[in-house]
Amino acid sequence: MLRARLGPVVVALVVLVTGIGVVWATTLINVSPAYARIGPNVFPRIVGGALAVFGLLLLITAINGRWQCEATDPDEPRPDLGPLLWVGGGLVLNLLLIKAIGFILSSTLMYVCIAKGFGARRWWLAALIGFALALLAYYGFARLLGLRMGGGLIEDLI
């Protein structure tokens, strides 16, 4: 019985601590005195507060044993972790490669991994669409908004 509650309690604690962490992190944002009340920390503070409240409600529900879902049902089959590994691996790969090969190619690779995680069979089409989206995002951020996106194999040619 206690073991069945452990998973939901851990999830509720993670949500609660994340919410508290987000609220705490918003206190570190320097706000210009030009902002009277609504500054760049308001929206993250609202999200963090909501996460903390929902985490607390989840914790109460988990402790009472009223949290019923597929994850707590022992008769449900185990989840397929393959897609999750593809998506998570793509995100990690993007972080590891973005400095070495640039935003566009690392984002294209991430897009292909995520498409594979969602069941795409035509990798070449996912790569083509991912490349076009990454190129569009790079152009929008780097060229139109003037943000520094770093260099890379493709970025240096543009």
Side-chain angles (χ1 to χ4, degrees):
M1 182 73 169
L2 183 61
R3 185 182 170 125
R5 291 183 189 172
L6 184 61
V9 167
V10 169
V11 170
L13 285 174
V14 167
V15 173
L16 178 63
V17 169
T18 301
I20 292 171
V22 169
V23 170
W24 172 77
T26 60
T27 63
L28 302 176
I29 298 173
N30 289 328
V31 178
S32 170
Y35 294 107
R37 291 186 180 257
I38 299 177
N41 58 357
V42 171
F43 185 70
R45 188 172 289 166
I46 291 170
V47 171
L51 274 174
V53 168
F54 288 128
L56 185 62
L57 292 174
L58 283 174
L59 184 62
I60 292 169
T61 305
I63 289 173
N64 290 337
R66 291 181 290 149
W67 187 351
Q68 300 295 325
C69 64
E70 293 175 352
T72 59
D73 188 357
D75 296 331
E76 286 290 324
R78 305 284 299 169
D80 183 13
L81 295 179
L84 183 63
L85 291 175
W86 275 106
V87 172
L91 294 172
V92 170
L93 206 56
N94 186 21
L95 289 174
L96 294 175
L97 294 176
I98 195 167
K99 193 170 187 176
I101 63 174
F103 173 81
I104 295 173
L105 288 180
S106 65
S107 296
T108 301
L109 189 57
M110 177 187 68
Y111 191 86
V112 169
C113 290
I114 290 174
K116 173 66 180 158
F118 279 95
R121 294 184 181 168
R122 295 182 288 182
W123 291 30
W124 62 270
L125 184 59
L128 192 64
I129 292 172
F131 182 82
L133 289 175
L135 186 64
L136 184 66
Y138 176 81
Y139 187 80
F141 283 110
R143 302 292 181 187
L144 297 179
L145 297 177
L147 299 175
R148 290 180 43 100
M149 298 290 288
L153 300 173
I154 304 296
E155 290 85 351
D156 293 342
L157 297 175
I158 299 175

